[in-house]
Amino acid sequence: MSLALFVLAVIGLTHIVVDAEISEPAHKWIEPRCPVVARIMDCYQCSGFWSGLVLGPLVSWNPLVWIACGCAGSFLAQLGWLVLDSLEMHAKGK
């Protein structure tokens, strides 16, 4: 998996988990049953870590690389959110 694809996949997967309308039913179902998982689904940094960890095996078979992918995913998801939020604010003229 190329670096650019990994970056976009982590940001996209995290955005789907945290903000997408399609994940709302899952979030509503999980929230009363497992509040910790629901909190993770609300956090870009947390969801980014798990997204990176899930996508890690596509990068390498080394488990240490998977952890690094999780950490990178955490940073990338937060950075992606900041960029998207800034673009949205700029588009609205704020």
Side-chain angles (χ1 to χ4, degrees), residues 20-71:
E21 192 175 312
I22 195 167
S23 66
E24 284 180 22
H27 188 272
K28 287 179 183 176
W29 186 85
I30 289 171
E31 192 167 25
R33 291 165 178 81
C34 193
V36 173
V37 175
R39 284 187 62 199
I40 290 170
M41 290 176 68
D42 284 337
C43 171
Y44 270 95
Q45 216 170 0
C46 303
S47 293
F49 173 80
W50 291 104
S51 295
L53 201 65
V54 165
L55 294 172
L58 299 176
V59 175
S60 169
W61 287 106
N62 183 348
L64 293 176
V65 174
W66 301 350
I67 294 169
C69 287
C71 295

